[in-house]
Amino acid sequence: MTYIADDIVCEAPPGRIEGADAYRAFMGPFVEILRGAEMIAAFGDDETALVMYDTATVPVASAPGAEFVTVEDGKIVRSRFVFDRTPFQAAR
Amino acid sequence: MTYIADDIVCEAPPGRIEGADAYRAFMGPFVEILRGAEMIAAFGDDETALVMYDTATVPVASAPGAEFVTVEDGKIVRSRFVFDRTPFQAAR
């Protein structure tokens, strides 16, 4: 959470997540099932970054995602997050 | 389909799509429900591009996606495509 701003706003597939506490609650369960990640592509400029990566998780072998983040004062203040929820729901 | 190579390989949420005909069959139904699109971020270099955009479709008001494409001789030969299938399945 070092690079997450206290007032982060994250637009993710389940909806809008506001604040570092809510972000931690959203990401925590994912981090627990994460086995590995591989960068597919990463670009950025002084204030923003756009990345795509593949993740390997316990329930889903390949779960790619993409994130567009905005950075202020060295912390992520905004994140737009895209991934397919379908295989995770199917694995439940 | 002007910029799609005949031998395009697209890795999309439903699986691997090989060839321009299969790509057309995959994208066709989406194009028919597409109402508009707005670029969220776009980066690239000489051979690749990484984009994130939001789309408005008939069944789903906001359906963001991300694509990482590789270009050869002016055509897309490879595409890695991420979007959330969940709202489309829910709208069926």
Side-chain angles (χ1 to χ4, degrees):
Chain A
M1 299 288 293
T2 309
Y3 299 109
I4 303 301
D6 289 343
D7 59 349
I8 185 171
V9 175
C10 175
E11 289 178 71
R16 188 180 177 93
I17 296 150
E18 299 191 15
D21 289 345
Y23 185 81
R24 182 189 288 110
F26 171 63
M27 291 301 289
F30 178 72
V31 172
E32 288 188 13
I33 60 168
L34 186 64
R35 284 191 159 152
E38 184 183 350
M39 194 65 82
I40 295 170
F43 290 94
D45 55 28
D46 287 349
E47 292 178 351
T48 66
L50 179 59
V51 298
M52 182 180 284
Y53 46 80
D54 198 9
T55 65
T57 71
V58 174
V60 182
S62 169
E67 275 186 82
F68 176 60
V69 299
T70 304
V71 174
E72 283 178 16
D73 298 328
K75 298 206 172 193
I76 295 171
V77 292
R78 196 167 177 91
S79 164
R80 187 92 192 226
F81 187 20
V82 178
F83 71 99
D84 184 18
R85 286 178 289 175
T86 305
F88 291 96
Q89 289 165 344
R92 273 184 189 168
Chain B
M1 298 288 293
T2 310
Y3 299 108
I4 303 300
D6 288 343
D7 60 349
I8 185 172
V9 174
C10 175
E11 288 178 73
R16 188 180 176 94
I17 296 149
E18 299 190 13
D21 289 345
Y23 185 82
R24 182 190 286 110
F26 171 63
M27 291 301 290
F30 178 73
V31 172
E32 289 188 11
I33 60 168
L34 186 65
R35 285 191 159 154
E38 184 183 350
M39 194 67 81
I40 294 170
F43 289 95
D45 55 29
D46 288 349
E47 292 177 352
T48 66
L50 180 59
V51 299
M52 183 180 283
Y53 47 79
D54 198 10
T55 65
T57 71
V58 174
V60 182
S62 170
E67 276 186 81
F68 177 60
V69 299
T70 305
V71 174
E72 283 179 15
D73 299 328
K75 299 207 171 192
I76 295 171
V77 292
R78 195 166 177 92
S79 164
R80 187 93 191 224
F81 186 22
V82 177
F83 70 99
D84 184 19
R85 286 178 289 174
T86 306
F88 291 98
Q89 289 165 345
R92 273 184 188 166

